Amino acid sequence: MFNANDKFSLFSGCNTFSKMQTMSVTERFNELFSELEHYAEDEQKQKIEEIIVLMEEMDEEELYSTFTKELFEKIDKMIEEEKLTMENAILLLKHMGFCNALKDIWNDSFRNSLLKARFEKMVAEEDEKKGDDEKLFIDLIECYLLLDNRFSLDLYHICVPCLLKVALKKEEDEETQKEVEIALLALSCINSYCDIERDLYLNEIKEIIQYHQKHRNLTRLAYQSAWSFLVFRYCKGFSSEIVIVNEQHFAREARRELEELSKSVNWKKKEEEMGKTERKTIDIISRWISSIGNYFYSCHLWSEKYTELISRIVDVLRASRDNHSEICEECIQSFDTVTGNRAVKFDALLKGGAIDAALEEIQRPILNISIINEFIYFFHLISLHFKGKGEVNTKEEERKELKRNVFEKQEEEGFEDIITSFQKVNRFYFDDDTVFIQL
């Protein structure tokens, strides 16, 4: 039987649950966060775990608007006043960073906060102690990297070897896999502008990738992150492209991963209708497309595998265009990088189906203007490509034949009429001379 106090407690709890149900995910986050400093350590940890669940529900816009400088300043103050333990702060911040990095969201909020300065100082201090508390050292580095992809150059020689040591673990239990995933994701956050000495990472990252290719020991996100880290180094001027193309087989692996990941997604669902696992898969696919685009931007060696890779990107484009326009646009942008790289044979776009996909999209009855603009720009780049010298080592007669094939596809699909109609509503790239491929 309930006594009066039990009845009041139950009524109060129901009211709280009802209120939480009607609040937005960001409002619920802010309310739970504002209560943190009033709880003891164990209760605080429980509330942080509730906050983590909310963060995993947020989309890019919600994460961007929630993770503000004010929020990081508040966390720093709570640590300073001992209202938030360092263990709980790391638990919260690591998951904030995980969500940011997974969705590739970067702003200056953490970078300009006092909390960043605190973490820089703590990393340096722990390094001087030579690993007295190795777990804390790793946690600090991961939080730091996951929240700021442009951190102090002085810390690279500390952070990179430390995280590679974690990432080299071979055990396949769930806890170790998660540790490795976080370490590689944090490494993948190091921006391409950062010039890291090859001796700090090359042998280790090669071993991680090659071991996974034999034993499949990494999670999907961990494997993508390992490649993302390596491709970013290549974009910076890493000279041994043969390592990526011939030893690590980037095109083959990227194509296979895109194919397998795509099969586990119900593309008919919108992102908000998907469960946690499917949303994470979508984010990993997006990261692969981004890495492929980065690679095509800088590569110097041609591989026949590029045509197969482009074909797989076309499959993702067609699957994503109705409910996941951001990924669709990323696919088109990866084609843009191919047109601008003279080392990549332009014929790969034709054989891989990229041009067919572009023409299909422009003629669909329901148009996404943002995607249409991307495709029109794609044709603009194609035209500029043909006006230039084309790819390296392509004979003039081959270039003319390729140009004729593209022209005939456009003519068959009535592309010239479509361009004319779009000129009336958007003058950005739409002129016959630079968009329509003319003989």
Side-chain angles (χ1 to χ4, degrees):
M1 292 179 64
F2 290 118
N3 61 30
N5 288 334
D6 290 332
K7 188 173 182 180
F8 175 79
S9 177
L10 178 62
F11 179 74
S12 176
C14 288
N15 274 350
T16 301
F17 178 77
S18 177
K19 179 183 176 183
M20 292 292 283
Q21 288 292 94
T22 58
M23 295 168 67
S24 70
V25 66
T26 53
E27 288 171 335
R28 286 152 59 197
F29 175 96
N30 290 332
E31 180 159 305
L32 283 173
F33 178 80
S34 67
E35 297 171 354
L36 273 185
E37 60 185 315
H38 304 300
Y39 291 102
E41 183 175 349
D42 289 343
E43 293 174 300
Q44 207 172 61
K45 183 176 180 180
Q46 182 182 342
K47 291 296 178 184
I48 289 172
E49 288 170 351
E50 292 178 32
I51 289 173
I52 288 169
V53 172
L54 292 177
M55 288 191 290
E56 291 172 348
E57 294 177 10
M58 291 183 184
D59 60 23
E60 288 87 341
E61 185 177 339
E62 289 167 331
L63 289 169
Y64 193 90
S65 64
T66 302
F67 298 169
T68 62
K69 180 183 177 182
E70 290 73 24
L71 179 69
F72 292 120
E73 297 286 16
K74 178 65 174 176
I75 293 172
D76 182 70
K77 185 177 179 181
M78 289 166 68
I79 295 171
E80 181 70 25
E81 296 177 352
E82 298 184 349
K83 294 180 179 179
L84 180 65
T85 65
M86 183 52 66
E87 182 179 349
N88 282 342
I90 286 172
L91 176 63
L92 175 62
L93 290 166
K94 189 181 286 191
H95 279 83
M96 290 172 69
F98 179 89
C99 291
N100 254 13
L102 180 61
K103 293 186 179 294
D104 198 24
I105 302 168
W106 302 106
N107 58 35
D108 295 332
S109 298
F110 177 78
R111 190 176 304 149
N112 295 331
S113 70
L114 294 173
L115 186 60
K116 177 188 174 180
R118 177 184 295 276
F119 269 69
E120 284 182 339
K121 181 181 178 182
M122 291 182 70
V123 168
E125 289 174 348
E126 288 300 319
D127 182 54
E128 288 179 5
K129 295 177 185 177
K130 303 301 178 187
D132 286 352
D133 190 340
E134 187 177 26
K135 183 180 184 308
L136 175 61
F137 190 38
I138 293 167
D139 284 339
L140 289 169
I141 290 173
E142 288 175 344
C143 285
Y144 188 43
L145 280 175
L146 290 167
L147 289 166
D148 185 8
N149 66 337
R150 300 174 71 89
F151 65 92
S152 171
L153 292 172
D154 296 334
L155 296 180
Y156 285 132
H157 70 283
I158 299 173
C159 297
V160 172
C162 176
L163 294 187
L164 284 172
K165 181 180 177 181
V166 176
L168 281 164
K169 292 182 179 180
K170 303 296 195 298
E171 297 85 355
E172 296 185 25
D173 60 281
E174 187 176 346
E175 183 177 349
T176 302
Q177 281 197 325
K178 190 64 179 177
E179 289 176 10
V180 171
E181 181 181 87
I182 292 289
L184 285 169
L185 180 63
L187 282 168
S188 76
C189 293
I190 301 176
N191 199 285
S192 60
Y193 88 98
C194 301
D195 193 4
I196 304 174
E197 298 89 341
R198 289 172 57 187
D199 290 344
L200 281 179
Y201 69 86
L202 186 55
N203 290 335
E204 290 83 355
I205 203 70
K206 283 173 59 179
E207 180 182 341
I208 289 166
I209 290 173
Q210 289 172 344
Y211 188 86
H212 174 77
Q213 289 173 353
K214 284 186 177 181
H215 303 282
R216 301 296 169 195
N217 64 307
L218 300 176
T219 66
R220 297 282 189 188
L221 177 58
Y223 189 49
Q224 194 289 318
S225 297
W227 272 114
S228 182
F229 172 77
L230 185 57
V231 169
F232 262 149
R233 308 286 67 75
Y234 174 62
C235 292
K236 178 61 184 174
F238 169 48
S239 59
S240 298
E241 184 175 355
I242 194 168
V243 171
I244 296 179
V245 178
N246 294 339
E247 293 182 23
Q248 309 295 298
H249 308 289
F250 174 71
R252 180 197 70 190
E253 292 297 296
R255 180 199 60 77
R256 183 185 54 77
E257 287 293 305
L258 281 182
E259 181 176 12
E260 294 183 7
L261 286 162
S262 294
K263 288 178 181 177
S264 62
V265 172
N266 182 350
W267 292 101
K268 293 181 180 179
K269 291 181 181 177
K270 295 183 179 179
E271 188 166 353
E272 59 269 21
E273 298 170 338
M274 292 179 168
K276 176 183 173 181
T277 301
E278 269 192 312
R279 288 199 303 270
K280 185 176 180 180
T281 301
I282 288 288
D283 290 328
I284 299 171
I285 290 172
S286 176
R287 287 171 59 85
W288 268 113
I289 299 295
S290 177
S291 292
I292 292 166
N294 287 332
Y295 176 73
F296 278 145
Y297 182 80
S298 302
C299 66
H300 299 91
L301 297 177
W302 167 248
S303 168
E304 292 296 335
K305 295 290 183 183
Y306 294 162
T307 301
E308 298 175 20
L309 179 54
I310 288 171
S311 178
R312 185 58 55 211
I313 296 173
V314 168
D315 290 341
V316 173
L317 184 154
R318 285 177 170 141
S320 64
R321 59 190 176 189
D322 287 328
N323 295 316
H324 302 273
S325 59
E326 296 87 356
I327 290 183
C328 184
E329 289 178 35
E330 288 173 0
C331 291
I332 307 163
Q333 289 162 8
S334 72
F335 300 152
D336 293 347
T337 61
V338 175
T339 64
N341 188 334
R342 294 176 61 213
V344 181
K345 292 187 178 181
F346 190 84
D347 195 37
L349 286 172
L350 198 63
K351 291 180 178 178
I355 292 174
D356 284 326
L359 294 171
E360 276 175 26
E361 186 64 31
I362 289 171
Q363 296 180 91
R364 294 180 75 205
I366 300 175
L367 301 177
N368 181 314
I369 294 301
S370 180
I371 292 176
I372 293 298
N373 281 343
E374 291 288 350
F375 272 125
I376 298 297
Y377 182 54
F378 173 50
F379 277 106
H380 165 73
L381 294 176
I382 292 174
S383 181
L384 293 180
H385 175 92
F386 284 131
K387 287 183 177 183
K389 295 181 180 180
E391 58 265 11
V392 177
N393 300 324
T394 299
K395 296 179 181 179
E396 180 62 20
E397 58 268 26
E398 291 178 359
R399 188 178 69 86
K400 287 182 177 179
E401 179 61 25
L402 180 58
K403 184 175 180 180
R404 183 177 298 280
N405 289 337
V406 176
F407 172 81
E408 288 174 354
K409 275 190 175 293
Q410 290 187 155
E411 193 174 48
E412 286 171 9
E413 302 294 343
F415 185 69
E416 188 172 22
D417 292 337
I418 294 168
I419 290 294
T420 301
S421 67
F422 275 110
Q423 283 179 314
K424 297 176 181 177
V425 294
N426 190 331
R427 302 289 304 179
F428 187 44
Y429 289 115
F430 304 162
D431 62 89
D432 292 337
D433 186 51
T434 59
V435 178
F436 187 62
I437 310 303
Q438 297 179 331
L439 294 174

